[in-house]
Amino acid sequence: MDTHESTFPLIISVDDHTVEPATVWQDRLPEKYRGTGPRIVRAPVKEMTFLGGRFKPVMGAPGDEGPVGDWWVYEDLRRPLTRLDTAVGYDRDEIRLEVITYEQMRPGSYDVPARLADMDVNHVQSALCFPTFPRFCGQTFTEAKDHELGLLCVRAYNDWMVEEWCGPEAHGRLIPLTLIPLWDPELAAAEVRRNAARGVRAVAFSEIPPYLGLPSVHTDDWDPFLAACDETGTVVAMHIGSSSRMPSTSADAPPAVGSTITFANCCFSMVDWLMSGKFEQFPNLKVMYAEGQIGWIPYILERADVVWEENRGWGGVADKVHRPPSELFAEHVYGCFFDDAFGLRNLDAIGLGNVLYETDYPHSDSTWPKSREVGEAQMGHLEPEVVERIVRRNAIELLGLTDDGLWDGAR
């Protein structure tokens, strides 16, 4: 572990990412599915754009001109590995939307010992990691044609996550985050319980399910899944982009527009949950917003309380939301940030117990390898016990870690 003199606590990051090794599904799927299940193919790219929040890569054929990269191939899907999947270690101005191979990425993206070494460099003790190929909540498998295969893919990913990525080689420093078959809430509930039985306390979910063609949280459709989370203490983890639609303003808006307003999906989602009645229906339910930052939260809570107080009679929530939304937020919602000086200056309006720290390794927004320095600069005005709470203690309590900040399986 880094021995640089510092009183800044060892970081527990609640939002990092793993780039899945090429063999995750090929090693675990029944033989009859290996030809259609996720696999890696090396091929050139013919065209690739990311405009208006939409990523559109076109895979070339062998012999075609164009940069060569590693592509995930699954049913009709062709999804390349890109520099944005794993940008740490590169100068900011050198990061482009380009295809890459595994050899061109930092090994810590997919290799456990290398990841732990990069965590050491960054003053990080433990990390919760979101997927890459399945996308942030398993949309890849939800959109596929064959849901029997999709369910096997979800379970294979979860087995790899628990048994290998967070297995003995990780020494408790990698915290499992699992997926569900989003197309079937009953199967989703069963998968939550299957993983909770082996110590998993976090599951990925979509910030705005209707964007995926799924029911909203205002319906009863998700109740079996939410009941399983409520009963097992499993946190519903929602990452920006887990609705497969990044915020943008027009079809030709450059990526910089969407990148500036990524928090908007979290904002919309949080209001959905606060006005849904689900937090009163499922009193142990907890949700967290990865990479959403926190500075926007105070005004939204203020506005939600005003609407609830003054407009609930005609607003459609009087019969299901019986307490001010800000009170529900304090008991059920966690905001996650890696770089938000404004939010930290307004911590009292957010709630000390509702804030978690992250490093976003290995993405282009990541503060690696200076997450400690960023934290020290932005939290310098806070008391040590407050910093400890933000950087470690809230995550330990939320994710059921040991007092030392490690994941200990089915304790």
Side-chain angles (χ1 to χ4, degrees), residues 375-383 387:
E376 288 174 331
Q378 295 192 349
M379 300 184 210
H381 65 291
L382 300 173
E383 294 297 323
V387 177

Side-chain angles (χ1 to χ4, degrees), residues 342-364:
F342 180 83
L344 289 166
R345 290 196 301 271
N346 294 275
L347 198 58
D348 288 347
I350 301 168
L352 176 56
N354 300 86
V355 174
L356 305 167
Y357 199 43
E358 60 187 33
T359 76
D360 198 31
Y361 178 106
H363 284 182
S364 59

Side-chain angles (χ1 to χ4, degrees), residues 365-382:
D365 270 339
S366 178
T367 51
W368 186 93
K370 298 185 178 298
S371 299
R372 175 188 58 216
E373 289 84 347
V374 170
E376 288 174 331
Q378 295 192 349
M379 300 184 210
H381 65 291
L382 300 173

Side-chain angles (χ1 to χ4, degrees), residues 125-183:
Q125 179 190 28
S126 306
L128 180 83
C129 297
F130 283 82
T132 297
F133 170 70
R135 309 216 300 281
F136 295 141
C137 67
Q139 304 102 296
T140 296
F141 305 126
T142 301
E143 294 167 0
K145 298 173 185 175
D146 186 343
H147 278 167
E148 180 181 352
L149 171 57
L151 180 59
L152 291 173
C153 286
V154 166
R155 289 175 174 167
Y157 177 87
N158 291 341
D159 291 345
W160 169 79
M161 168 62 61
V162 174
E163 297 166 8
E164 290 197 32
W165 185 251
C166 302
E169 200 173 34
H171 306 293
R173 297 179 61 189
L174 295 173
I175 306 161
L177 172 70
T178 51
L179 303 176
I180 55 170
L182 288 162
W183 59 90

